[in-house]
Amino acid sequence: MLIKQLIRLPKIVLALFIQLIVLLVLTLGVTLAPKVVTPPYSYSLLVLIQALLAAMISCRLGLPCWWRWIQFFIPIGLYVGLLVEFNPLWALGIFALVWLVFSNALTERVPLYLTNSTTRKALKKFIKPQVNQTFLDLGCGLGGNVVFMAGQLNISESHGVETAPIPYLFSKIYTRLRGGRTYAMDMWKTDLSYYDIVYAFLSPEPMPKLWQKIKEEMQPGSVFISNSFAIPEITPTEIWELSDRRQTTLYIYRL
Ligand SMILES: C[S@@+](CC[C@H](N)C(=O)[O-])C[C@H]1O[C@@H](n2cnc3c(N)ncnc32)[C@H](O)[C@@H]1O
């Protein structure tokens, strides 16, 4: 019951909550320890115990298991920061930079990672011969797919939408120089009825809501391609397993 409620918390809040629980346990331990081991206790050892305990229980308390590494390095990073008297303005600067690149990881649960060239080449196969078609990349990141599709025969317009500030700026400049167009637009506000080929590489989180939008807006004969993330409970028209290193799966939904 408690675990279910914890899982609903934003990941970062849950992570800090777990660190706090471990800190309380450690405080209790340090209060009781003098009965067994004579103080003082080394700070480095206490920080290491905090890091190890937090890493060990995070997965059990509902954080994705790979977060154990983040949990391990949070206390160690803070401790090292204090030791070297790290200027907090740097931390603020780094946070701002990370936010400008990954802001959608917090709001939409979609971080930035990029489509590889094998997948991009596979996208070419969705272009029908001898008819002009339009392409849209929902959350276009740095604009690589938009530029690539803009250069293909029979693609009359290749667009991307992006809301994270730094990827948007990069993509805007890149498409201006090499073809296609990027818009600073929330993908939920796009008009999908304009596009023949719509591509997305997002995360499991937005897929059910995105399917509603696709059903309402995309035209018969158009195609939606999702890299890696299937739409729950909807059978794709086709599934393509690519032979790249990460063994990309494309879920294809023909409208
Ligand atoms: C996994 S990346 C994929 C980037 C690019 N499509 C590619 O395949 O190389 C997902 C991108 O979607 C963007 N994104 C997430 N939610 C969005 C939204 N609601 N509107 C616009 N972009 C969004 C993120 O900022 C991120 O750049």
Side-chain angles (χ1 to χ4, degrees), residues 101 104 108 110-115 120 137-142 145 161-164 167 185-188 199 201-202:
V101 177
N104 282 316
E108 299 272 0
V110 181
L112 174 70
Y113 30 77
L114 302 176
T115 294
R120 220 164 261 163
D137 187 359
L138 286 169
C140 65
L142 305 182
N145 303 328
V161 290
E162 179 57 62
T163 45
M185 185 190 278
D186 190 331
M187 66 175 174
W188 303 114
Y199 172 76
F201 185 16
L202 299 168

Coordinates of all heavy atoms in Angstrom, one line a residue, residues 101 104 108 110-115 120 137-142 145 161-164 167 185-188 199 201-202, ligand 1:
V101 N 18.3 21.4 -21.3 CA 18.4 20.3 -22.3 C 17.3 19.2 -22.0 O 16.7 18.7 -22.9 CB 19.8 19.6 -22.2 CG1 19.9 18.4 -23.2 CG2 20.9 20.6 -22.6
N104 N 12.0 18.3 -20.6 CA 10.8 17.4 -20.8 C 10.9 16.1 -20.0 O 9.9 15.3 -19.9 CB 10.6 17.1 -22.3 CG 10.0 18.3 -23.0 OD1 9.0 18.8 -22.5 ND2 10.5 18.7 -24.1
E108 N 7.2 15.7 -19.0 CA 6.6 14.7 -19.9 C 7.1 13.3 -19.6 O 6.7 12.3 -20.2 CB 6.8 15.0 -21.3 CG 6.2 16.3 -21.8 CD 4.8 16.2 -22.2 OE1 4.2 15.1 -22.2 OE2 4.2 17.2 -22.6
V110 N 10.0 12.4 -20.7 CA 10.6 12.1 -21.9 C 12.0 12.8 -22.0 O 12.0 14.0 -22.2 CB 9.8 12.5 -23.2 CG1 10.6 12.1 -24.5 CG2 8.4 11.9 -23.2
P111 N 13.1 12.1 -21.8 CA 14.4 12.8 -21.8 C 14.9 12.9 -23.3 O 14.2 12.4 -24.2 CB 15.3 11.8 -21.0 CG 14.7 10.5 -21.1 CD 13.2 10.7 -21.4
L112 N 16.1 13.4 -23.5 CA 16.7 13.5 -24.8 C 17.6 12.3 -25.1 O 18.5 12.1 -24.3 CB 17.4 14.8 -25.0 CG 18.2 15.0 -26.3 CD1 17.3 15.2 -27.4 CD2 19.2 16.1 -26.2
Y113 N 17.3 11.5 -26.1 CA 18.2 10.5 -26.6 C 17.9 10.5 -28.1 O 16.8 10.8 -28.5 CB 18.2 9.2 -25.9 CG 16.8 8.8 -25.4 CD1 15.8 8.3 -26.2 CD2 16.6 8.8 -24.0 CE1 14.6 8.0 -25.7 CE2 15.3 8.5 -23.5 CZ 14.3 8.0 -24.4 OH 13.1 7.7 -23.9
L114 N 18.9 10.0 -28.9 CA 18.7 10.3 -30.3 C 18.5 9.0 -31.2 O 19.1 8.0 -30.8 CB 19.9 11.1 -30.8 CG 20.2 12.4 -30.1 CD1 21.5 13.0 -30.6 CD2 19.0 13.4 -30.3
T115 N 17.8 9.2 -32.2 CA 17.6 8.1 -33.2 C 18.9 7.8 -33.9 O 19.6 8.8 -34.3 CB 16.6 8.5 -34.2 OG1 15.3 8.7 -33.6 CG2 16.4 7.6 -35.4
R120 N 17.1 5.7 -38.8 CA 16.8 6.8 -39.8 C 16.7 6.2 -41.2 O 15.7 6.5 -41.9 CB 17.9 7.8 -39.7 CG 17.5 9.2 -39.8 CD 18.5 10.1 -39.4 NE 18.4 10.5 -38.0 CZ 19.3 11.1 -37.3 NH1 20.5 11.3 -37.8 NH2 19.1 11.5 -36.1
D137 N 8.4 14.8 -37.0 CA 9.0 14.2 -35.8 C 8.5 14.9 -34.6 O 8.7 16.0 -34.3 CB 10.5 14.3 -35.9 CG 11.3 13.5 -34.8 OD1 10.6 12.9 -34.0 OD2 12.5 13.6 -34.8
L138 N 7.8 14.1 -33.8 CA 7.2 14.6 -32.5 C 8.2 14.6 -31.4 O 8.6 13.5 -30.9 CB 6.0 13.7 -32.1 CG 4.7 13.8 -32.9 CD1 3.8 12.7 -32.5 CD2 4.1 15.2 -32.7
G139 N 8.7 15.8 -31.0 CA 9.8 15.9 -30.1 C 11.1 15.6 -30.9 O 11.7 14.5 -30.8
C140 N 11.5 16.6 -31.7 CA 12.5 16.3 -32.7 C 14.0 16.4 -32.2 O 14.9 16.1 -33.0 CB 12.3 17.2 -33.9 SG 12.6 18.9 -33.6
G141 N 14.1 16.6 -30.9 CA 15.5 16.7 -30.3 C 16.4 17.6 -31.1 O 16.1 18.8 -31.2
L142 N 17.5 17.1 -31.6 CA 18.5 18.0 -32.3 C 18.2 18.2 -33.7 O 18.9 18.8 -34.5 CB 19.9 17.5 -32.1 CG 20.3 17.2 -30.6 CD1 21.7 16.7 -30.5 CD2 20.2 18.5 -29.8
N145 N 16.5 13.8 -37.6 CA 15.5 13.1 -38.4 C 14.8 14.0 -39.4 O 14.5 13.7 -40.5 CB 14.4 12.5 -37.6 CG 15.0 11.5 -36.5 OD1 16.0 10.9 -36.8 ND2 14.3 11.4 -35.4
V161 N 8.8 19.2 -34.0 CA 8.4 20.1 -32.9 C 9.2 19.8 -31.7 O 9.5 18.6 -31.5 CB 6.9 20.1 -32.6 CG1 6.0 20.7 -33.7 CG2 6.4 18.6 -32.3
E162 N 9.6 20.8 -30.9 CA 10.4 20.5 -29.8 C 10.2 21.6 -28.7 O 10.0 22.8 -29.1 CB 11.9 20.5 -30.2 CG 12.9 20.3 -29.1 CD 12.7 19.0 -28.3 OE1 12.8 17.9 -28.9 OE2 12.5 19.1 -27.1
T163 N 10.2 21.3 -27.4 CA 9.9 22.3 -26.4 C 11.1 22.5 -25.5 O 11.2 23.5 -24.8 CB 8.7 22.0 -25.6 OG1 8.7 20.6 -25.2 CG2 7.4 22.3 -26.3
A164 N 12.1 21.6 -25.5 CA 13.2 21.8 -24.6 C 14.1 22.9 -25.2 O 14.5 22.8 -26.4 CB 14.0 20.5 -24.4
P167 N 17.8 21.9 -27.1 CA 17.6 21.1 -28.3 C 16.8 21.8 -29.4 O 17.1 21.8 -30.6 CB 16.8 19.9 -27.8 CG 17.2 19.7 -26.4 CD 17.4 21.1 -25.9
M185 N 7.1 24.1 -30.4 CA 5.7 23.8 -30.2 C 5.5 22.5 -29.4 O 6.3 21.5 -29.6 CB 4.9 23.6 -31.5 CG 3.5 23.5 -31.4 SD 2.7 23.0 -33.0 CE 2.6 24.6 -33.7
D186 N 4.6 22.5 -28.5 CA 4.2 21.4 -27.7 C 3.6 20.3 -28.6 O 2.7 20.7 -29.4 CB 3.2 21.8 -26.6 CG 3.0 20.7 -25.6 OD1 3.1 19.5 -26.0 OD2 2.6 21.0 -24.5
M187 N 4.1 19.1 -28.6 CA 3.6 18.1 -29.5 C 2.1 17.9 -29.4 O 1.4 17.5 -30.3 CB 4.3 16.8 -29.3 CG 4.0 16.1 -28.0 SD 4.8 14.4 -28.0 CE 4.5 14.0 -26.4
W188 N 1.5 18.2 -28.2 CA 0.1 18.0 -28.0 C -0.7 19.1 -28.8 O -1.9 19.0 -28.9 CB -0.3 18.1 -26.5 CG 0.5 17.0 -25.7 CD1 1.4 17.3 -24.8 CD2 0.4 15.6 -25.9 NE1 1.9 16.1 -24.3 CE2 1.3 15.0 -25.0 CE3 -0.4 14.7 -26.6 CZ2 1.4 13.7 -24.8 CZ3 -0.2 13.4 -26.5 CH2 0.7 12.9 -25.6
Y199 N 6.5 10.4 -36.8 CA 7.5 9.5 -36.1 C 7.7 10.1 -34.7 O 7.6 11.3 -34.4 CB 8.8 9.6 -36.8 CG 10.0 9.0 -36.1 CD1 10.1 7.6 -36.1 CD2 11.0 9.7 -35.5 CE1 11.2 7.0 -35.4 CE2 12.0 9.1 -34.8 CZ 12.2 7.7 -34.8 OH 13.2 7.1 -34.1
F201 N 9.9 9.2 -30.8 CA 10.8 8.4 -30.0 C 10.7 9.0 -28.6 O 11.5 9.9 -28.3 CB 12.2 8.5 -30.6 CG 13.3 7.6 -30.0 CD1 12.9 6.5 -29.1 CD2 14.6 7.8 -30.2 CE1 13.9 5.7 -28.6 CE2 15.6 7.0 -29.6 CZ 15.2 6.0 -28.8
L202 N 9.8 8.5 -27.8 CA 9.5 9.3 -26.6 C 9.8 8.4 -25.3 O 10.9 8.3 -24.9 CB 8.0 9.7 -26.7 CG 7.7 10.6 -27.8 CD1 6.2 10.8 -28.0 CD2 8.3 12.0 -27.7
Ligands
LIG1 C1 14.0 10.7 -27.0 S1 14.1 12.3 -27.7 C2 14.0 12.0 -29.4 C3 14.6 13.0 -30.2 C4 14.5 12.8 -31.7 N1 13.1 12.6 -32.1 C5 15.2 11.6 -32.2 O1 14.6 10.6 -32.4 O2 16.5 11.7 -32.4 C6 12.5 12.9 -27.3 C7 12.4 14.4 -27.5 O3 11.0 14.8 -27.3 C8 11.0 16.1 -26.7 N2 9.6 16.3 -26.1 C9 9.1 15.6 -25.0 N3 7.9 16.0 -24.8 C10 7.6 17.0 -25.7 C11 6.4 17.8 -26.0 N4 5.3 17.7 -25.2 N5 6.5 18.6 -27.0 C12 7.6 18.7 -27.8 N6 8.7 18.0 -27.6 C13 8.7 17.1 -26.6 C14 12.1 16.0 -25.7 O4 12.6 17.3 -25.3 C15 13.2 15.2 -26.5 O5 14.0 16.1 -27.2

